[in-house]
Amino acid sequence: MLSTILTKSFSKDTALLILRVITGTVLIHHGYEKLANIENFADAFVRPLHLPFPIFLSYIAAFSEIGGSWLLIIGLATRFGALAIVGTISVAIYHALVTSGFNIFLLELLLLYFASATSIALSGPGNFSLDEVIIRILKSEDTEESISSTKVKPSSKKSKTKEENNKVGLLQFLQENILSDISN
């Protein structure tokens, strides 16, 4: 049991789970605070940057923080959620630099959120996530289909091979763009 806990993969996956859940849990209230008074947020943070459609962009910021946080917490489309947070926090860092200069007291929390979300986006959610469950299901279905296709008559082998290539392509697309790495 101790060797299982001390393995690199288990430790990495546990660390990613902790990072995802805590980052999402702590960040989610910022989105809800924005929604509580969207006009005030737009006046204080979006209009000083002279961005167009400040109310619309305020809703985008709020929903990206709320949605991105929930995606991090449950581990579903985790990289997408982390990228939504990275985008919103990048604008917040820009706002802090433009309005207050390099004020470490304003930047430290933003930089921690940015570092956490970027780390999750780059490394993936780990094995303790819904993304990993989806990948394992897709991988097992692909394996079952390839086993059953070897038992098919040779005449229909061409159409089965084309279908297999489409499923492998979908799995590869999900793996490379949305879901976690399965090469652990």
Side-chain angles (χ1 to χ4, degrees):
M1 170 113 177
L2 186 60
S3 64
T4 303
I5 293 173
L6 296 177
T7 62
K8 183 178 178 182
S9 178
F10 182 82
S11 298
K12 176 187 156 204
D13 294 329
T14 305
L16 286 169
L17 174 68
I18 292 168
L19 184 64
R20 277 188 6 247
V21 170
I22 290 179
T23 301
T25 303
V26 175
L27 181 63
I28 200 166
H29 81 89
H30 291 288
Y32 286 123
E33 285 178 357
K34 286 174 182 60
L35 282 181
N37 194 348
I38 203 76
E39 188 70 39
N40 185 37
F41 176 77
D43 289 339
F45 294 99
V46 181
R47 285 192 176 101
L49 295 177
H50 306 291
L51 295 172
F53 313 111
I55 299 294
F56 177 73
L57 291 176
S58 297
Y59 278 113
I60 296 281
F63 287 123
S64 69
E65 286 180 0
I66 294 168
S69 293
W70 276 114
L71 292 175
L72 289 185
I73 292 167
I74 63 175
L76 179 65
T78 309
R79 287 185 167 147
F80 178 74
L83 288 175
I85 290 170
V86 166
T88 301
I89 296 300
S90 296
V91 174
I93 290 170
Y94 176 73
H95 175 269
L97 289 171
V98 166
T99 59
S100 302
F102 189 81
N103 182 344
I104 193 65
F105 298 109
L106 291 175
L107 290 173
E108 65 183 348
L109 183 60
L110 295 172
L111 291 173
L112 285 171
Y113 284 139
F114 181 84
S116 297
T118 302
S119 298
I120 293 166
L122 293 174
S123 63
N127 285 334
F128 306 133
S129 66
L130 288 178
D131 288 346
E132 185 63 28
V133 171
I134 292 169
I135 282 181
R136 288 182 185 182
I137 290 170
L138 289 173
K139 194 173 183 181
S140 68
E141 287 176 358
D142 187 46
T143 305
E144 289 172 7
E145 296 236 347
S146 66
I147 290 171
S148 67
S149 71
T150 58
K151 297 176 184 177
V152 176
K153 299 177 199 173
S155 63
S156 64
K157 199 170 192 176
K158 289 181 183 177
S159 64
K160 288 291 183 184
T161 305
K162 189 174 183 180
E163 288 175 14
E164 281 180 29
N165 288 340
N166 288 342
K167 288 196 178 194
V168 171
L170 174 64
L171 179 61
Q172 287 174 347
F173 174 79
L174 290 173
Q175 177 187 357
E176 293 170 0
N177 296 307
I178 298 172
L179 304 173
S180 71
D181 299 334
I182 60 172
S183 59
N184 294 339

